[in-house]
Amino acid sequence: MDCSKYKRVMLKLSGEALAGENGYGIDFQVAKNIAKEIKKIVDMGVQVGAVVGGGNIWRGRNGADMDRTTADYMGMLATCINAMALQDSLENLGVNTRVQTAIEMREVAEPFIRRRAMRHLEKNRVVIFAAGTGNPYFSTDTTAALRAAEIEAEVILLAKKVDGVYDKDPHKYNDAKKYKKLNYIEVLDKGLQVMDSTATTLCMDNDIPILVFGLDNPQNIVKAVLGEEIGTLVSKG
Ligand code: UDP
């Protein structure tokens, strides 16, 4: 059997990753394809924590005329919808999962309790962390960094629409150059769009490497845990 480079990972999926071509809402075929890849790494013995964004449904900044905190709470609720969709897709494949939310909704999911999350991971259940950090003015990238530190994940697998980190937007510029490796300070200094700066700083302070790769090919999740050279690795260098 293929051997994973990591024992425990934090997988961050943007909300858009679940939207597929539509760019909005949830495409269940796409969710199923992602779930199949997650199942492969679970079957390899990798313990998986996952954070899903909410951008396919709502982002705080969409509510320009709204009270910011209200708009952000709406975004956090959107992540719960996505987490439940991912949970359903995984359970359809026979993968054991738990959703833990940072805002209590006990009828729907468990509240986030770190020790309980650790126990689930040890039992090879995929733990999906929903409702962000539970605080407005944060992002799900910061949630992934925070929960990764809390569960002692060895790496954040940051699955994006773009297949790595570029010096400029590869959709706009043909000569955009992809980085293979970067350190945190370079990301912050160059203002590279990897994660928001709060999330990057949290990873830097806790020495958590971030592997940024494209989800255009869902098999990249398996390649990432096998340590194949894909995407861009952000670390202390
Ligand atoms: N959000 C928040 N606090 C958090 C995490 C998320 O307020 O700890 C809100 C914020 O409004 C954000 C939205 O939830 O825009 C959805 O998350 P995000 O934009 O990170 O999703 P993604 O871009 O990964 O799909």
Side-chain angles (χ1 to χ4, degrees):
M1 185 193 269
D2 292 326
C3 220
S4 169
K5 187 176 173 191
Y6 307 106
K7 183 98 188 80
R8 183 175 292 160
V9 301
M10 169 57 72
L11 176 65
K12 164 72 208 302
L13 300 166
S14 68
E16 274 177 352
L18 291 179
E21 294 292 295
N22 311 332
Y24 183 83
I26 298 163
D27 180 328
F28 277 90
Q29 189 54 49
V30 171
K32 188 176 175 181
N33 292 342
I34 295 172
K36 277 185 189 162
E37 297 307 308
I38 297 175
K39 177 175 167 35
K40 285 183 194 163
I41 63 170
V42 172
D43 289 345
M44 283 162 64
V46 181
Q47 297 177 5
V48 184
V51 167
V52 201
N56 55 324
I57 300 171
W58 182 263
R59 280 200 180 95
R61 61 176 179 273
N62 293 352
D65 297 328
M66 292 183 65
D67 168 54
R68 170 70 193 265
T69 54
T70 304
D72 278 343
Y73 279 116
M74 288 166 66
M76 287 183 255
L77 294 178
T79 71
C80 299
I81 294 175
N82 285 333
M84 291 167 75
L86 182 63
Q87 176 174 48
D88 186 77
S89 300
L90 285 165
E91 296 212 321
N92 279 337
L93 300 173
V95 180
N96 292 321
T97 66
R98 292 292 187 275
V99 173
Q100 291 203 340
T101 59
I103 296 170
E104 276 200 23
M105 45 183 90
R106 286 175 182 268
E107 290 78 1
V108 174
E110 288 179 9
F112 170 65
I113 298 170
R114 179 185 169 268
R115 282 175 188 277
R116 194 182 266 190
M118 298 294 264
R119 189 83 187 106
H120 291 320
L121 290 166
E122 284 158 10
K123 290 184 173 174
N124 294 313
R125 295 173 183 144
V126 175
V127 184
I128 306 168
F129 299 101
T133 60
N135 301 292
Y137 298 98
F138 286 94
S139 67
T140 51
D141 284 349
T142 305
T143 310
L146 175 64
R147 298 288 184 246
E150 286 177 288
I151 66 167
E152 295 161 21
E154 291 149 273
V155 66
I156 296 178
L157 305 178
L158 190 61
K160 291 236 182 200
K161 274 196 148 179
V162 187
D163 67 343
V165 184
Y166 286 79
D167 58 347
K168 46 193 165 187
D169 187 346
H171 294 308
K172 286 191 195 151
Y173 302 94
N174 286 334
D175 62 341
K177 192 175 115 274
K178 185 167 127 186
Y179 296 102
K180 273 194 162 184
K181 282 186 177 174
L182 283 163
N183 63 46
Y184 306 106
I185 296 290
E186 284 173 311
V187 170
L188 295 168
D189 277 355
K190 295 183 203 287
L192 298 170
Q193 301 297 312
V194 180
M195 298 175 132
D196 54 78
S197 55
T198 312
T200 307
T201 308
L202 201 51
C203 289
M204 180 171 74
D205 291 349
N206 294 289
D207 194 10
I208 305 168
I210 310 155
L211 182 64
V212 186
F213 60 94
L215 206 56
D216 46 328
N217 177 3
Q219 291 175 6
N220 278 346
I221 296 175
V222 173
K223 289 185 181 174
V225 302
L226 288 175
E228 288 185 24
E229 278 207 9
I230 56 164
T232 304
L233 182 69
V234 182
S235 64
K236 65 181 176 190

